[in-house]
Amino acid sequence: MIAECEIKSAHVEMRVNTVWTIVLGFAADPLARWSWPDSNQYLSSMPEFVVACGGRAFENGTAYIAAGLRAAALWLPPGVQQDEPALDALMERSLRPEIAEDMACLRNGMAEHHPPEPHWYLPLIAADPNWAGQGLGSQLMQHALRRCDEEGVAAYLESSNPQNITLYRRHGFKIIGEIQHGSSPPLTPMLRLPT
């Protein structure tokens, strides 16, 4: 375990390196690799996916990094959405035709599970695999969840990896459903109410 480390907002100049930390951290993620099983396809598509899903966190000062750039979390504040047109374009261009309908159903399920009230959304959190399991994800979570509690606002995420559910539960998230279609791995929507 890494001792308490400094959590900082990643400024725009750190965007590229922050995105690559997340790309590395998702290299074995079940949903990411179902989407792009070929390593070249993954490496060419995933950075664009990270930016479309969470890139607006950089503009809002809610892209957080831990221990330099060993881990990162992209949080979208209430009222800030993912870049859906960019996601649509990426999916149309990069997905294998046989999974396109399954992915569309997953995305619809994600939209249906988002809380209707204002909430903080965590589309992406990851550690460089060299630093996974060192507590950096927990420190990133604690940092952001303090703000959620101060503001009295819920936090929401979808876990694309069943191995991460225990981490989220430790931080007060509760499972509110399952999203799965066709050949896709399951996505687990989770909600945390402010304390």
Side-chain angles (χ1 to χ4, degrees):
M1 294 293 277
I2 292 179
E4 185 97 12
C5 66
E6 182 180 13
I7 307 292
K8 298 191 313 188
S9 289
H11 50 75
V12 175
E13 292 79 27
M14 302 168 86
R15 180 176 170 143
V16 170
N17 290 337
T18 304
V19 167
W20 277 105
T21 295
I22 294 171
V23 170
L24 287 172
F26 272 79
D29 179 80
L31 185 61
R33 297 320 299 267
W34 170 77
S35 302
W36 303 291
D38 175 76
S39 58
N40 288 329
Q41 187 182 35
Y42 173 78
L43 291 171
S44 66
S45 299
M46 190 63 180
E48 190 176 343
F49 177 80
V50 171
V51 171
C53 286
R56 291 180 173 156
F58 293 96
E59 303 158 17
N60 286 279
T62 54
Y64 301 119
I65 57 170
L69 273 165
R70 293 176 179 167
L74 304 181
W75 284 88
L76 300 181
V80 176
Q81 306 296 319
Q82 299 181 94
D83 186 345
E84 292 296 334
L87 279 171
D88 291 343
L90 173 64
M91 298 300 166
E92 185 175 327
R93 186 175 65 253
S94 69
L95 290 181
R96 295 167 283 135
E98 64 268 22
I99 69 165
E101 182 181 336
D102 293 342
M103 179 59 82
C105 290
L106 284 182
R107 290 180 66 201
N108 286 337
M110 291 168 68
E112 291 168 6
H113 281 84
H114 269 261
E117 65 274 354
H119 61 279
W120 281 85
Y121 175 47
L122 176 63
L124 298 157
I125 183 171
D128 178 322
N130 278 338
W131 300 99
Q134 300 297 310
L136 296 173
S138 284
Q139 291 183 47
L140 284 164
M141 291 293 282
Q142 290 167 355
H143 178 80
L145 293 174
R146 274 193 295 273
R147 183 169 179 180
C148 294
D149 291 341
E150 289 168 4
E151 295 177 0
V153 177
Y156 172 77
L157 60 83
E158 299 105 0
S159 178
S160 57
N161 189 335
Q163 294 177 351
N164 296 334
I165 290 174
T166 55
L167 167 71
Y168 303 136
R169 281 187 163 147
R170 277 197 314 267
H171 291 282
F173 285 87
K174 296 188 178 356
I175 294 172
I176 60 169
E178 181 177 283
I179 307 166
Q180 195 278 327
H181 192 272
S183 65
S184 79
L187 265 177
T188 305
M190 303 183 77
L191 181 67
R192 179 189 181 272
L193 299 177
T195 59

